[in-house]
Amino acid sequence: MVQQSVLAITKQEGSDSSSSSAALSAGMFDWVFKCHGFWHNAVLIIASFLFVLYLALQAKQSFRKLSHGRSHIIISYYATLWLVSILNLAWCSFQVWECSPGKELAWNLLSLFTSSGMLFLEVSLLAFLLQGNNASGLEALTRTFGISGVIVGFDILLKGIYLFAFGIPLFIDTDHSIPHVKWNLWVVHKLVLTLVYGLILFMYHSRWRERLPARPAFYKYVTVMFILNAIALFACGLTGSGAAFGFWFYRVTVVCYHAFYLPLLYITFLADFFQEEDLNLENVYYSEMKDAGFFESDWN
């Protein structure tokens, strides 16, 4: 009798263990393969993780440079980049929430904060560029972050109304048969960004070129972002018209943006600052911008 009880308990424990292992395996399978597929999730997770890992490995050297450089803009931008990179890693890692019942609110909030953080970095860099020779030191920082805060705050308010007042699933892209009003919003969003990047490119090739900072890497960045937003605009327009191909195209632009935008921004705006071995060479990095009137109060 006792032996039978022991055997029953052992079988029950084995059954529970097998059930737990099966549930864990199913959970891992869903986390990697569910919602857009393996390659979609793998590219997002690996790219975002590697960038955060790179920032962590370079953190000691970066903090040393920041403590000597005393550039308010660089310090603020680096701190914001860290915060947004962690949010983006979380967004990329929890893609399964997008397809999980009961996780809609968590996914929408995570997507809203992540996209707003990335938009803040994007807009603040544009605001800095468009200030041209009028930007320097704390004045430039205050003006840049003030403009960015107002624009991103309005963007958050508008998206919040769509999400929580009208119930429109802005950040759930499991298929293209979602209300057209969603795609109308994304068309306007991408159109505005495309026009702004196009304006900067036009200024760069016009007589107003001297009003912009003398930094060629910025214009390569602007060119890349103009192309990406133009493609996203085209894809949103196609999807809003009911074309399934446009929806696939749109998802490709989302993956490219979340996987590669932050490294692109780092290479454009921060990489040279942190990679110089001799602190005296920081003045060489900014010599072109100093000629245009940037960072005068930071380096004097």
Side-chain angles (χ1 to χ4, degrees):
M1 185 71 177
V2 174
Q3 290 179 344
Q4 290 178 351
S5 300
V6 170
L7 288 174
I9 293 173
T10 304
K11 290 181 180 179
Q12 181 66 32
E13 290 177 348
S15 177
D16 292 343
S17 177
S18 300
S19 300
S20 300
S21 299
L24 180 61
S25 299
M28 289 297 295
F29 181 87
D30 290 345
W31 183 65
V32 177
F33 291 94
K34 188 178 178 182
C35 204
H36 307 303
F38 171 77
W39 290 111
H40 174 280
N41 297 337
V43 170
L44 285 173
I45 294 170
I46 293 173
S48 58
F49 173 76
L50 288 178
F51 182 64
V52 172
L53 179 63
Y54 176 80
L55 289 179
L57 293 175
Q58 297 293 319
K60 184 177 180 179
Q61 178 184 350
S62 299
F63 291 149
R64 177 172 59 86
K65 289 294 183 69
L66 290 171
S67 64
H68 287 83
R70 298 177 182 176
S71 172
H72 302 291
I73 290 179
I74 297 294
I75 293 172
S76 300
Y77 223 76
Y78 181 71
T80 306
L81 178 66
W82 254 111
L83 175 61
V84 175
S85 297
I86 293 173
L87 278 173
N88 188 58
L89 176 60
W91 185 89
C92 294
S93 300
F94 293 104
Q95 291 288 302
V96 69
W97 285 3
E98 188 176 357
C99 308
S100 301
K103 295 289 186 178
E104 292 87 354
L105 178 60
W107 175 252
N108 283 328
L109 288 175
L110 179 60
S111 299
L112 180 62
F113 286 123
T114 303
S115 62
S116 298
M118 296 180 73
L119 182 64
F120 181 85
L121 288 172
E122 194 173 347
V123 173
S124 59
L125 184 53
L126 289 177
F128 178 77
L129 282 171
L130 293 175
Q131 288 179 71
N133 298 338
N134 296 322
S136 63
L138 282 172
E139 179 186 358
L141 175 63
T142 302
R143 187 185 301 115
T144 299
F145 277 29
I147 294 171
S148 304
V150 170
I151 294 175
V152 174
F154 175 77
D155 182 76
I156 292 175
L157 177 62
L158 181 62
K159 290 176 181 176
I161 292 173
Y162 269 69
L163 283 170
F164 305 116
F166 299 142
I168 297 172
L170 289 180
F171 300 112
I172 297 179
D173 298 324
T174 52
D175 60 71
H176 68 281
S177 59
I178 294 175
H180 291 299
V181 67
K182 164 185 172 172
W183 299 108
N184 293 338
L185 176 65
W186 287 131
V187 165
V188 173
H189 187 273
K190 301 302 180 184
L191 177 62
V192 171
L193 288 173
T194 302
L195 290 176
V196 173
Y197 285 117
L199 173 64
I200 296 175
L201 290 177
F202 172 77
M203 292 177 64
Y204 181 64
H205 295 93
S206 70
R207 58 190 178 90
W208 293 291
R209 179 175 179 173
E210 65 275 6
R211 296 179 179 272
L212 297 173
R215 192 65 190 166
F218 285 157
Y219 305 105
K220 295 178 182 178
Y221 163 85
V222 170
T223 301
V224 171
M225 294 306 296
F226 173 78
I227 294 172
L228 178 64
N229 281 281
I231 294 174
L233 172 62
F234 178 67
C236 290
L238 284 178
T239 308
S241 300
F245 174 75
F247 178 72
W248 177 86
F249 215 25
Y250 168 75
R251 289 305 307 176
V252 171
T253 63
V254 170
V255 170
C256 290
Y257 183 69
H258 282 274
F260 305 116
Y261 173 70
L262 295 176
L264 173 65
L265 186 145
Y266 180 87
I267 292 171
T268 301
F269 194 67
L270 296 172
D272 289 346
F273 179 88
F274 291 126
Q275 289 175 359
E276 294 289 358
E277 294 298 331
D278 186 354
L279 293 177
N280 293 326
L281 293 179
E282 292 169 2
N283 288 326
V284 175
Y285 171 71
Y286 284 100
S287 60
E288 291 179 301
M289 298 186 71
K290 285 177 66 178
D291 292 338
F294 289 96
F295 302 111
E296 291 176 351
S297 63
D298 291 326
W299 298 109
N300 286 337

